[in-house]
Every structure is written in structure tokens, then in C-alpha cells.
Amino acid sequence: MEYSKLSAGLEYFESVDFNFYSIVRDVMYLCNTLIVDKNVKLEVDLDTSIPEILVGDPSKLSQILLNVLGNAIKFVEKGDIHLKIMQHEQSGDQFVLEFDITDTGIGISEDNLKHIFDSFKQAELGTYATYGGSGLGLSIVKQIIEKLDGQITVESDLGIGTTFKFTLPYKKGNDTKILKGKINPNELEGSSELVKGMRILVFEDNILNQKLIEQRLRIWGCITYITDNPLNGLAILENKRVDIVLMDLRMPKMDGFEVTKRIRKSKNGYVREIPIIALTADFTIKDKDQCNANGINDYILKPYSPDELLSKLLKNKNNMETIHAIESNIISPRTNKIDKSPKIDLAIILEECMGEVGLLEELVTLYKQNALEFIGQVKLHLKNTDFNQLEFATHKIKAGLAMMQTFSLHKIVEQMHKICQTEKDIKYLEFLYDCFLMEYPIVEKAINMELENIRRNRKQ
Ligand code: ADP
């Protein structure tokens, strides 16, 4: 993750009416999906006197919660993670919420605790590859909280657990300012079949929203491309068949109106006509005019229910034929951790190693070295727009990826290789590289687990 993207979170702060409970619910839902194969229990204890509708920045709140809870999930193998939300210091319609996140994880040493909020070192490749870049880093979290006039503290005992506490001030909000979709769920029964196979490109920079929308769309059998990078998104539109675009109006690098303008100016007639649905939290009349003026077809107010999303997709699908696309041909970035690990079968390779686990281990080490070298080199060649070197690097790694049966990575690299030889589209290559970066840690984890299984079986 680039530093620019991390710091970008500090530039946009909004103050809108939002449903606090639905943010907490969404965050908890998502965090639960991050807990895989672990004996970890995630609980929330919420002071129910907190008003349902608050005024503040819902997106920042979810980012903060996801980051702190995400860390807890990472560092607890077994035990509890407890989120407690309390209401303090009421004066008029203003009050402070206190969030306590306690875990029974590995804890943090005293030395590390001193620096835990220190300025985030530029997210290095290693960090990115290991964690998939989903975290903001606690220093950014602290900066966001302080910009919102809150405070964050931490207490931890090594081997026992950690508690992060933070406060954020809010005002009671106004329900009527949140427009609600008038949808009768009965009308939608069975409709999700109608969006199956639809290819949907989502421009969205908020990680929580990215993951939620991806989950929803995937459940309905849609094929999703999700990006927070407008230029990558535009490249996807030019290179892939997309049926509908969902557009977050507020993105740090280029706002949704600007992206829409560019889509409507495309040389490709199909792209120019593509239905665009805006996603927005604060929909004002001005925006509505702007929507019309900028060629946005429809809008959905955040937070929205699955039914609202489904109904908008159906409405804007028009007469477009639904394609039951073959997923295997589609490359989309995983918003990592949600997906189950890919199945890696090292047994065949072990056979080729004549049953020598030591040899297999060497191959795996070599594989990892090659992959990391590839990641480093491609980053550089992309920066220099050096298609020859890119072609060479992608060619070089292909065989190893195939040998290790890591087909999800192989597919991405093969596509990159092809683009180097044909269209030479740097934006699309960057997108594919992002896909690789997100996929690699998941694959590596699956390999490690498989290797561990083989070792264990040997010992028995
Ligand atoms: P990252 O997780 O990307 O390394 P963070 O700034 O979010 O960056 O966290 C910094 C470090 O603080 C983590 O790498 C970890 O060592 C430690 N840490 C954070 N939260 C916890 C926790 N709940 N339990 C144990 N260690 C933690």
C-alpha cells in the first residue's frame, strides 16, 4: 500500500447523519469473517442508550474499528476479543463514546508499547505482502482519532492480552435526514437470480465498504472488480466487459464525478453507455443535479441494505443480457482474508522430489524467493514503464508458479505477460500487479499450511 493512500485518509473528514448501529453491525460481521479456523470469540457489548442516528464520519469510524479489531484478530489464536461501547459526558445533544477493545492475545512488550503509535514507517513491500495492506497502521488511527477530537490509549501485558481504548465525540443525529429506500423485500424474492453472472466494477476506497459489497455481490453470483484506484478502474473498463459500475463519489485521488466524466468520454461506445450508479453517504440536491449533469444514472445512499442494492442493480440492468460468465477467466483482486485459502496440493510435487521432504522444502523456499524478487522487480519496472523488463520478469516466473500449482497467481502473471506483448497498458498492468500482491500472501499461507501437514504426517 502506498503511503499516499494511507495518509489520504487524513484529508477527507465528513460530518453526516448515519446509523451507528448498522456501522457496528457491519464491522462485527466483517470481523467475524476474518476469523478463520480459530477458537476466537468476538463479542460486542453496547450501551443501548446510545442514539441510533449520530452525526459524524461513519467511514472513519469503521476504518478505526476495523483496524484495531483486525489487529486483535491477528494476534489472538485462542480466546476472546471484546468490544465495549459506552456513552459518556452528555451535554445537550453532544456526548462522547468510549470504545474498549480487549483481547486475550499475545500482548505487546513494554518496549514495543512505547512506540506503538509512532509514525507509521512507510508500508514496505514486506508488510504489504504479509498483511495484504488492509491495515491503516496505529499511527494513522491515532491521527484520525485526534483529528476527530478523540483520544486513544493502550495497555498490554505480554502473554496476557491487550486493551485499546479510544473516545470519539458525536452529536445525536436526525433520522429524517437519512433517506430510506422504499423497498418491499417480497418484491425482490428470487430476484438475485437475475443478477447472477453480472460483471460489476466497483470504485470504492473504504475497506469496509469494499468487503461488504464484494460479499453481497458474490453471494448473488456477480463477478466483481473492486478498486480504489480510478485509473485502474478505467483500465479495467477498457479491457474487460463490465455490465454496471458502482461509483463511490468521494475518493481521495479522483472523485466519482471526475471518473464518470472520463467514462462518458471513452472512445469505446460500449463503455460510454455503461450504467453508473453512485454510492454516497450524503446526498444533497446539488449532488443530484451533478449526477444528472455528469451522466450518473442512479444513486444508492449509504449505508444501504442488500435489498436496496439488488433493486438498483435490477433497475439499471435494463435490457442488458445477463451473461453467465465463466469465473475462471476473470481476474479480480481479492479483498484478502475473506476468501478461503486456495487449495494447494504439494503431494504431487513431493512425489517428483522422490518423497524427500527436505527437497520439497528447498523448492518452496526457492519459490518464495522468486515470488518476492518478482514483486520487487515488477514494482520497479512498472514505475519505469519498462515493458521489456516486465515481459521478461513475468515470463521468468511463470514456470515456477505452474510447477507449484499456484494457478491463481499463474493466471494473473500470464495475463500480465500477454498485456506486455500486446496492448502495453500500464494501468491494467498495475491493476494486475495489485491482484498479485493481494493474492500472494494467501497462497503463501496455504503452502505453509500444506507443508506443515506433510511434515506432521511424516512424523506420525
Ligand atoms: P501492522 O499491524 O500493520 O504491523 P499496526 O500499527 O496496526 O501495524 O500495529 C503495529 C504492531 O502493534 C503490530 O505489528 C503488532 O506487533 C502490535 N499490535 C497491535 N495490536 C496488537 C494486539 N491487539 N495484540 C498484540 N500486538 C498488537
Side-chain angles (χ1 to χ4, degrees), residues 241-367:
R241 164 126 190 203
V242 171
D243 298 318
I244 227 164
V245 172
L246 297 176
M247 178 79 67
D248 180 17
L249 288 182
R250 277 195 184 227
M251 287 181 290
K253 283 184 192 146
M254 192 192 287
D255 75 26
F257 294 119
E258 181 57 36
V259 183
T260 303
K261 237 186 255 171
R262 294 199 184 192
I263 293 174
R264 295 296 180 233
K265 276 191 204 149
S266 167
K267 289 195 197 91
N268 179 331
Y270 177 81
V271 172
R272 263 197 321 270
E273 298 297 320
I274 206 153
I276 300 177
I277 304 177
L279 304 168
T280 177
D282 51 336
F283 198 80
T284 62
I285 296 300
K286 186 169 152 271
D287 285 336
K288 194 169 185 172
D289 288 343
Q290 271 184 300
C291 274
N292 295 335
N294 285 297
I296 287 172
N297 303 71
D298 205 343
Y299 65 92
I300 304 177
L301 284 161
K302 293 184 195 174
Y304 47 87
S305 68
D307 283 346
E308 280 171 81
L309 177 61
L310 185 56
S311 107
K312 292 284 181 179
L313 288 178
L314 286 170
K315 186 176 147 205
N316 288 280
K317 196 170 140 241
N318 293 334
N319 301 321
M320 214 173 45
E321 66 179 310
T322 306
I323 308 147
H324 291 265
I326 310 147
E327 261 212 66
S328 61
N329 288 332
I330 306 293
I331 292 166
S332 66
R334 286 171 186 262
T335 11
N336 77 339
K337 290 179 181 164
I338 278 186
D339 303 79
K340 287 254 179 298
S341 295
K343 186 89 199 81
I344 302 282
D345 187 1
L346 293 183
I348 309 163
I349 307 162
L350 184 61
E351 256 174 52
E352 283 173 27
C353 296
M354 292 158 300
E356 292 275 338
V357 178
L359 200 55
L360 179 66
E361 282 172 344
E362 271 176 44
L363 277 183
V364 168
T365 307
L366 201 63
Y367 170 88

Side-chain angles (χ1 to χ4, degrees), residues 19 22-23 25-26 178-181 183 200 202-204 206 208-217 220 226 246-248 277-281 299-313:
N19 189 316
S22 61
I23 294 283
R25 199 173 46 237
D26 285 351
I178 298 185
L179 301 177
K180 293 215 173 72
I183 290 163
I200 301 174
V202 186
F203 290 87
E204 170 65 71
N206 178 298
L208 175 74
N209 293 336
Q210 281 187 359
K211 292 188 178 178
L212 283 172
I213 204 163
E214 182 173 41
Q215 286 245 319
R216 285 172 188 173
L217 294 174
W220 298 330
I226 300 192
L246 297 176
M247 178 79 67
D248 180 17
I277 304 177
L279 304 168
T280 177
Y299 65 92
I300 304 177
L301 284 161
K302 293 184 195 174
Y304 47 87
S305 68
D307 283 346
E308 280 171 81
L309 177 61
L310 185 56
S311 107
K312 292 284 181 179
L313 288 178

Side-chain angles (χ1 to χ4, degrees), residues 9 16 81 92 195 240 322 372 381-382 446:
V16 295
I81 300 165
V195 297
K240 294 266 156 197
T322 306
L372 290 178
H381 302 325
L382 281 173

